[in-house]
Amino acid sequence: IGPLGVRIEPWGRTSVGEAEDVFREQARALVDGGVDLFILETFGDLSELLAAIRAVRAVSTLPIVAQMTTGEDGQTLDGTPPERFTPALEAAGADVIGLNCSVGPPAMLDTIETMARISSARLAAQPNAGRPRDVDGRNLYLSSPEYMASYARRFVSAGVRLVGGCCGTTPEHTRQIAAAVHAASASPAVRHAPSVSVAEPASVAAAPVPVPRTEKSSLARALASRDFVVLVDINAPRGLDLAAVAEQARRFRALGAAAINVPDYPRSGARVSALALAALIEQAGVETLLHCTCRDRTLLALQSDLVGAHAMGIRNVLLTTGSPARTGNYPEAASTYEVDAVGLINVAARLNRGQDVAGQPLGAVTRFHIGATFNPFPAEPDAEWRRLAHKVEAGAEFLVTPPVFDVNAFAPIAARLRDTGLPVLAGVALVESARHAEVISSEVVGARAPEGVLDRLRHAADQAAEASVVTSEIVEGLRTRVDGVMLTWFHGGSRTAEHQLESVRLRVHGAAAAAREGKQT
């Protein structure tokens, strides 16, 4: 039985319980079919392999061989070292534990020797026939049967009791491996009994203490104090000249923006990444909110991006699954989606606790202020609210919605969002015409403009002026229902954003001054 081929929690949507159900179904069918032995092989996720062991044990007492797959460094593809997965597999009740696939004999022998030093369990080793080589478009494994057989003897000497091969292994490889193992087993000089010794660490470092939210960023402090904040978008332009972007960010800050929102939209053309743009704006002295999506990167690549973002001073992150890649001028463009938003929030939250995805210590904690998205008008509301609960449980600290056009329809949803205890930023689209509003309403997920708003714009003598009035009304309607707004201008102009930002600032400051005056009276 191999892995499911999907990520399980905390990185994917499949729960551990669901994974166990699937493995249990397979195991029960195999027991009914009359198998004598279970081999759980090529698992890169320790949690998934442990779930498979539990599932098999629930239906059978037959022997279990449990095998991880590791890289050249001896760690699983998620970074779990043998010092962690070896005792976990032994404690789970597998009869034989070991490794298969991914690497050739030398790298696997190094890891096996590490496992033998910390465990008295029976060990298994099934390496590939060396590293594959691309020969005329085919992956060929070039290690000879003699080479594999020589390492089979070394595996036995290291304490391995089940020896074989994985990818690239032919019948001739197997014959020579078998002959080498039989010869090694018959020779007293080669027979090996593992000697196990476990050294206790001299001292156990105290678990790092996560940073309080109010100490993470200015935006985090403002939201914690329930100040009404305003964020505004800046998108990456085409090309290499980014001086104007930094200057635009400074203007937005001067007009009252609490932070600059840096989206990660799948746009065509040669543009800097959202991460690079956010770092540039931070260097200009302006705080940012970086979007980080799961669309283009694997789990480990996303972790690297987050660590890199933190090293460059970025603290506010909005973690989303992301929209699929648009092909545009690149018809071969594709999306990755190895994890989703819940998994990515779990990654950032674990980094905030000083651990990587494999549970290994970082030596320090990150200070990410973690945001999550919520669609107030989804096709399946119950599913969206369940997803929100998972995001909050994973570690989300504030919420962001798509552009809101209908404040009255949003009002009961905003009240329910308050029950999460998290600050809410409502999106506000800076439209400039009826056509602009129609495009956003039709193509942006969750942005639903009522027909009355569209009619106002269609029949206005000056659509741009009417759009500004509509936007001001939306912001005014949201001001008492959410903790801030995110001004999104999509394909509009920066002048519209500046005008609306100034208008919001004056309105909010005026309301604050009036409140202070009323208290004094």
Side-chain angles (χ1 to χ4, degrees), residues 193-209:
S195 176
V196 181
S197 63
V198 179
E200 293 294 334
S203 61
V204 179
V209 179

Side-chain angles (χ1 to χ4, degrees), residues 20 35 59 81 100 202 215 217-218 241 263 296 348 359 366 383 402 419 432 445 459 513:
E20 286 191 32
V35 300
V59 299
N100 78 292
E215 297 179 17
S217 69
S218 296
D241 186 4
D296 302 322
T366 56
D419 293 338
E432 296 181 344
V445 175
H459 297 101

Side-chain angles (χ1 to χ4, degrees), residues 343-395:
L344 187 53
I345 293 170
N346 272 301
V347 173
R350 184 168 289 192
L351 293 174
N352 277 352
R353 296 192 296 270
Q355 296 180 334
D356 65 9
V357 296
Q360 294 298 99
L362 294 177
V365 297
T366 56
R367 295 168 171 257
F368 287 121
H369 180 217
I370 302 172
T373 57
F374 175 80
N375 179 3
F377 304 110
E380 299 181 13
D382 290 343
E384 185 70 9
W385 284 103
R386 284 196 300 271
R387 289 273 295 159
L388 176 61
H390 291 318
K391 292 176 181 179
V392 174
E393 182 182 8

Side-chain angles (χ1 to χ4, degrees), residues 511-521:
R516 287 194 300 271
E517 184 176 341
K519 287 181 179 179
Q520 291 171 355
T521 303

Side-chain angles (χ1 to χ4, degrees), residues 33 45 50 72 134 176 228 264 266 269 288 290 363 377 408 419 474 481 493 502 514 516:
D45 183 341
L50 295 176
E72 296 285 338
D134 188 309
Q176 295 212 26
F228 190 85
D264 187 13
T288 62
L290 170 66
F377 304 110
N408 291 330
D419 293 338
I474 292 172
R481 294 182 168 91
E502 175 70 8
R516 287 194 300 271

Side-chain angles (χ1 to χ4, degrees), residues 18-358:
E18 290 170 328
E20 286 191 32
D21 289 342
V22 175
F23 288 128
R24 192 180 303 111
E25 180 180 354
Q26 296 180 60
R28 186 177 292 111
L30 292 169
V31 169
D32 293 343
V35 300
D36 301 303
L37 169 75
F38 286 95
I39 300 182
L40 310 176
E41 64 173 17
T42 327
F43 281 79
D45 183 341
L46 175 60
S47 296
E48 187 178 8
L49 181 50
L50 295 176
I53 293 172
R54 289 193 296 270
V56 174
R57 276 287 170 257
V59 299
S60 173
T61 58
L62 290 171
I64 296 175
V65 179
Q67 298 183 137
M68 301 294 297
T69 189
T70 61
E72 296 285 338
D73 60 358
Q75 299 184 350
T76 70
L77 304 184
D78 288 347
T80 304
E83 291 84 355
R84 181 162 176 251
F85 67 69
T86 301
L89 294 177
E90 188 174 2
D95 299 275
V96 182
I97 63 175
L99 310 170
N100 78 292
C101 204
S102 293
V103 296
M108 187 169 289
L109 179 59
D110 290 341
T111 309
I112 283 291
E113 288 174 340
T114 299
M115 297 176 68
R117 285 194 296 270
I118 60 177
S119 172
S120 59
R122 299 180 183 91
L123 299 179
Q126 293 182 259
N128 290 343
R131 294 182 181 180
R133 299 292 187 270
D134 188 309
V135 179
D136 295 331
R138 297 173 62 201
N139 274 339
L140 298 183
Y141 294 82
L142 304 181
S143 292
S144 68
E146 294 80 9
Y147 180 76
M148 292 284 282
S150 71
Y151 269 91
R153 288 190 291 272
R154 294 183 177 121
F155 283 128
V156 172
S157 179
V160 169
R161 291 294 172 265
L162 176 62
V163 184
C166 201
C167 302
T169 307
T170 68
E172 183 58 28
H173 285 90
T174 304
R175 276 191 290 271
Q176 295 212 26
I177 289 172
V181 169
H182 290 319
S185 300
S187 172
V190 180
R191 189 175 294 129
H192 172 82
S195 176
V196 181
S197 63
V198 179
E200 293 294 334
S203 61
V204 179
V209 179
V211 175
R213 188 174 70 171
T214 54
E215 297 179 17
K216 293 179 176 179
S217 69
S218 296
L219 177 61
R221 284 191 294 275
L223 290 176
S225 62
R226 296 297 181 178
D227 293 341
F228 190 85
V229 300
V230 183
L231 282 70
V232 62
D233 278 358
I234 283 186
N235 291 295
R238 290 176 182 264
L240 301 176
D241 186 4
L242 301 175
V245 172
E247 183 56 36
Q248 181 66 68
R250 293 190 188 97
R251 286 201 299 273
F252 282 151
R253 183 187 60 181
L255 290 170
I260 302 299
N261 181 47
V262 183
D264 187 13
Y265 297 134
R267 307 177 75 196
S268 62
R271 305 170 190 270
V272 298
S273 66
L275 172 55
L277 182 60
L280 178 77
I281 295 173
E282 291 277 354
Q283 290 169 7
V286 182
E287 189 164 299
T288 62
L289 170 60
L290 170 66
H291 287 213
C292 187
T293 74
C294 305
R295 179 184 58 250
D296 302 322
R297 291 169 287 277
T298 63
L299 173 63
L300 293 187
L302 288 164
Q303 178 177 249
S304 294
D305 278 357
L306 286 173
V307 172
H310 193 271
M312 289 184 283
I314 296 167
R315 298 294 180 263
N316 305 302
V317 288
L318 182 60
L319 307 180
T320 70
T321 301
S323 303
R326 298 177 182 177
T327 57
N329 297 328
Y330 307 99
E332 302 299 323
S335 302
T336 299
Y337 294 122
E338 189 174 282
V339 297
D340 66 357
V342 177
L344 187 53
I345 293 170
N346 272 301
V347 173
R350 184 168 289 192
L351 293 174
N352 277 352
R353 296 192 296 270
Q355 296 180 334
D356 65 9
V357 296

